[in-house]
Amino acid sequence: MTNLLEAKGLRAAYGETKVLHGLDFAVRQGGVTALLGANGAGKTTTLRAICGIVRTQGEILLGDTRIDGKATEDIVRLGVAHVPEGRGTFMELSVEENLRLGAYTRPARQATEDFGLMFDYFPRLKERYKQQAGTLSGGEQQMLAIARALLLRPRLLLLDEPSFGLAPLIVQEIFRILARIKQDAGVSILLVEQNAAIALEFAEHAYVLETGRIVMAGSSADIGKDEGIRRSYLGY
Ligand SMILES: Nc1ncnc2c1ncn2[C@@H]1O[C@H](COP(=O)(O)OP(=O)(O)OP(=O)(O)O)[C@@H](O)[C@H]1O
Ligand SMILES: [Mg+2]
């Protein structure tokens, strides 16, 4: 299996504060990799580092292309879509306007075709096409954020805690849709989650992060079985 994304010795800092201390990790082509860890471990920062939002050192490869040091906009154009923590939805805009923003890199006609596909995945968004995003439920907002990211037709989807603040049934629904999208679109996913149980079920591989260092890497099955890791880092 080839890797779509590979990070080598990845470091990141906010000003003088060093947050990531040399991470090595990979996302396989067509696969799902989970990044787990407690609050403040550096999960969000890792996704920001991949997108060029924080200053980094080390190498990040997307396929054969070095993307570290590139501008966020260029990284997006190379096929990396980011669903940030807090979803990054434009609350005052409608569902439709948010989706159009997601498709901004693509010709209008193609984007409109893809809207149909998104409504097939997320029928709730279709019903609420003209609704102001800020008035959507939390689950609907998460769906909108994912749909918007997918309209870029990314090769790599970065998801920052899609389950955050949502009821278990909605979380299940979102992960069912993500599984379908992964299969249909062949998109590779790097999933950051506090909800380790659901992340390990969805991902084939996982990394456990502790204060900016990877303390365990392996198959989701192995990590899920490790009693010590479960108790220390995963909280279940
Ligand atoms: N803009 C910032 N400026 C300074 N420090 C920051 C900034 N953003 C994050 N940090 C620090 O970086 C560390 C890692 O934060 P990060 O948000 O990556 O953690 P996380 O694993 O995503 O946590 P959570 O599960 O709470 O979302 C924390 O100590 C945090 O205080
Ligand atoms: Mg975070």
Side-chain angles (χ1 to χ4, degrees):
M1 273 250 228
T2 53
N3 291 330
L4 174 62
L5 184 86
E6 220 174 312
K8 296 176 194 167
L10 180 63
R11 295 171 180 276
Y14 295 103
E16 294 295 297
T17 315
K18 296 188 171 100
V19 173
L20 304 181
H21 308 284
L23 309 185
D24 296 315
F25 63 90
V27 179
R28 291 194 182 168
Q29 182 73 53
V32 180
T33 297
L35 193 57
L36 309 172
N39 289 121
K43 305 181 298 297
T44 294
T45 303
T46 304
L47 298 190
R48 287 189 187 141
I50 294 167
C51 296
I53 304 171
V54 289
R55 204 164 44 86
T56 62
Q57 289 177 295
E59 264 182 49
I60 309 173
L61 282 156
L62 184 73
D64 297 327
T65 309
R66 283 275 298 260
I67 58 169
D68 51 277
K70 284 193 191 293
T72 301
E73 194 184 309
D74 296 329
I75 295 170
V76 169
R77 282 180 199 280
L78 286 167
V80 178
H82 181 205
V83 181
E85 206 170 39
R87 299 163 191 145
T89 304
F90 295 94
M91 296 295 186
E92 63 293 349
L93 300 184
S94 68
V95 168
E96 176 184 5
E97 288 162 336
N98 269 283
L99 291 175
R100 291 213 179 276
L101 283 173
Y104 80 99
T105 56
R106 314 207 12 250
R109 185 150 17 92
Q110 272 180 30
T112 306
E113 278 172 25
D114 279 8
F115 279 17
L117 190 61
M118 286 310 128
F119 293 145
D120 186 34
Y121 288 128
F122 301 103
R124 284 159 179 257
L125 295 182
K126 186 174 187 179
E127 293 157 22
R128 292 165 177 81
Y129 197 53
K130 296 288 174 194
Q131 191 171 324
Q132 199 185 344
T135 64
L136 296 173
S137 73
E140 290 157 3
Q141 282 182 27
Q142 186 64 61
M143 291 176 189
L144 176 58
I146 295 169
R148 199 187 64 190
L150 287 169
L151 284 169
L152 288 166
R153 289 268 175 142
R155 299 158 75 193
L156 177 67
L157 184 62
L158 308 175
L159 295 171
D160 200 341
E161 303 212 38
S163 76
F164 188 79
L166 304 182
L169 273 179
I170 294 288
V171 173
Q172 274 176 28
E173 187 181 339
I174 286 175
F175 275 90
R176 257 201 315 273
I177 297 167
L178 283 172
R180 230 184 107 199
I181 290 166
K182 184 200 144 195
Q183 202 158 35
D184 297 353
V187 62
S188 312
I189 298 175
L190 180 58
L191 168 70
V192 159
E193 263 298 340
Q194 286 273 346
N195 186 333
I198 199 149
L200 290 174
E201 202 181 312
F202 186 54
E204 299 96 37
H205 290 89
Y207 296 87
V208 180
L209 204 57
E210 191 191 29
T211 53
R213 290 188 173 80
I214 288 169
V215 292
M216 190 173 181
S219 73
S220 298
D222 287 347
I223 289 186
K225 270 191 300 219
D226 190 299
E227 191 86 7
I229 286 284
R230 262 199 351 224
R231 239 182 279 130
S232 314
Y233 304 111
L234 309 181
Y236 74 99

